Amino acid sequence: MNTELRLYRHLPRHDSTAPSAVTIGNFDGVHRGHQAILEQVRRQAEALGLVPTVMTFAPHPRAFFARRGQRPELIPTQISSLRDKVALLAQHGMRQIVVQRFDQRLADMGAEDFIRHLLVQGLNTRWLLVGEDFRYGHKRSGDIDLLRRMGREHGFEVRTLADVADDQGQRISSSALRTALAVGNLERSGELLGAPYRISGHVIHGRKLGRDLGFPTLNLRVPEPCAARSGIYVVRAHGLGEHPLPGVASLGVRPTVNRDGTLLLETHILDRRVDAYGKLVCIEFLEFLRDEESFPDLTTLTAAIRQDAQDARDYFASHGL
């Protein structure tokens, strides 16, 4: 079977009519609940000779409706950037990823048209897996019964999956993951994700202030609004050599030195110089140290950074890299 990844922003596909095994959702974070769905899609696709496919949306439908209704407080925080989400979906066996633009046209699309245009004509769907409470189409009017009826008509099978629970019987969900990240509970977020929380991106030029203070940083843009709590973290950096490197990172708006409110992830690699500009790096969050603070002057800020770096060294001394 072809293992090449194909990313589509419009349907129908311009280069394929291959039959697909499909799942639909936002997949923010690609947590263990999502991973169970993707594993079923991958297995069924293999058994039936279909292309394993995920359809996701940008922006998040809740974000679209919150902006349209001028209720920015209802916009869900973002766990993963589109780059990280696509990489994780591919890592879990998806070979077609549809990033469907969620706009007024899609919001107004009737439930039957959603099935006809996106699933039948768009992806030649033969097998579909969705959550038991999946809703789609204008005003969420489409349900599982309609999917099954139209599936019989158009030749695709519909399966539903109940919620996936953790070892304590609690539902694994993006909402639970956002809650854990919002309070800096990386142990809980790690349980839900099955791995440490990560942000990746290309290293961009910053103001070079860290370098002037003796703590050079590599800077990444982060998805906004970001699900992770602003503050100082012990981190591991991947992509700068054959082994991960220990670091300490600040996620926030740098209140002591900056007033423009731009969210940035600034990572200081401990006890070594690295040339990272332009490189694609992945920062893995290991431990929350403290909240972001505004300091009265650069001397106090520098002392705090020095202490953060020492706290990170202490963490690696007892936990290893």
Side-chain angles (χ1 to χ4, degrees):
M1 179 176 278
N2 185 2
T3 58
E4 179 191 351
L5 173 67
R6 294 186 176 196
L7 183 66
Y8 297 99
R9 288 182 178 271
H10 302 284
L11 290 175
R13 297 164 292 176
H14 55 86
D15 60 352
S16 174
T17 55
S20 307
V22 180
T23 187
I24 306 172
N26 290 298
F27 289 91
D28 195 10
V30 193
H31 54 61
R32 283 171 50 211
H34 295 142
Q35 291 164 29
I37 293 170
L38 299 172
E39 176 59 18
Q40 282 209 32
V41 174
R42 192 192 62 72
R43 279 207 309 263
Q44 281 296 325
E46 199 173 340
L48 300 172
L50 306 174
V51 186
T53 303
V54 63
M55 183 191 296
T56 186
F57 303 99
H60 194 298
R62 273 167 47 205
F64 171 81
F65 288 116
R67 287 191 187 101
R68 196 181 70 172
Q70 299 183 315
R71 299 285 304 277
E73 73 280 4
L74 297 180
I75 296 174
T77 57
Q78 245 183 290
I79 299 165
S80 37
S81 66
L82 184 58
R83 176 208 306 284
D84 284 341
K85 177 156 67 172
V86 166
L88 285 163
L89 291 169
Q91 190 182 309
H92 287 282
M94 297 301 102
R95 291 293 160 257
Q96 289 181 144
I97 298 171
V98 180
V99 181
Q100 181 65 47
R101 181 167 178 72
F102 199 94
D103 54 13
Q104 195 59 53
R105 188 186 65 85
L106 192 62
D108 289 341
M109 188 181 282
E112 292 195 8
D113 284 343
F114 181 97
I115 296 168
R116 223 174 264 118
H117 292 322
L118 300 182
L119 294 178
V120 179
Q121 295 158 13
L123 286 166
N124 190 9
T125 301
R126 290 281 173 261
W127 189 88
L128 176 68
L129 179 66
V130 290
E132 291 174 331
D133 56 356
F134 179 63
R135 292 286 181 276
Y136 54 95
H138 184 54
K139 294 189 172 171
R140 296 166 55 84
S141 57
D143 59 10
I144 302 294
D145 283 345
L146 178 61
L147 273 175
R148 289 208 162 103
R149 269 206 317 280
M150 291 193 69
R152 286 192 288 274
E153 187 184 325
H154 292 284
F156 63 86
E157 183 184 352
V158 178
R159 293 284 179 88
T160 60
L161 186 70
D163 289 338
V164 177
D166 64 14
D167 298 339
Q168 286 76 48
Q170 294 193 317
R171 179 173 177 252
I172 296 175
S173 67
S174 294
S175 300
L177 182 50
R178 286 188 190 99
T179 300
L181 290 170
V183 297
N185 186 346
L186 295 180
E187 188 178 346
R188 178 66 179 146
S189 68
E191 288 170 0
L192 294 166
L193 287 164
Y197 178 62
R198 305 179 171 105
I199 292 176
S200 72
H202 286 101
V203 177
I204 59 170
H205 285 279
R207 292 177 55 187
K208 311 288 192 295
L209 180 68
R211 189 178 66 188
D212 295 343
L213 298 177
F215 294 92
T217 59
L218 46 101
N219 306 318
L220 302 186
R221 291 194 182 91
V222 296
E224 288 197 66
C226 185
R229 178 179 183 171
S230 288
I232 312 302
Y233 291 87
V234 180
V235 299
R236 231 182 340 233
H238 299 259
L240 297 168
E242 63 183 277
H243 301 294
L245 298 176
V248 61
S250 166
L251 174 64
V253 296
R254 297 152 293 152
T256 306
V257 296
N258 197 18
R259 291 283 176 265
D260 70 0
T262 307
L263 197 62
L264 204 60
L265 177 62
E266 300 175 292
T267 302
H268 170 66
I269 303 299
L270 295 173
D271 307 318
R272 74 167 65 198
R273 294 268 169 164
V274 290
D275 178 22
Y277 286 118
K279 287 186 177 163
L280 179 60
V281 300
C282 174
I283 305 299
E284 210 169 58
F285 289 59
L286 303 177
E287 179 140 300
F288 180 81
L289 290 178
R290 64 172 176 85
D291 281 318
E292 186 174 41
E293 288 179 59
S294 184
F295 294 100
D297 51 50
L298 292 182
T299 307
T300 323
L301 171 63
T302 308
I305 296 171
R306 189 173 291 116
Q307 184 58 54
D308 296 333
Q310 189 53 52
D311 290 343
R313 281 188 204 95
D314 294 345
Y315 173 92
F316 287 112
S318 62
H319 292 80
L321 188 58

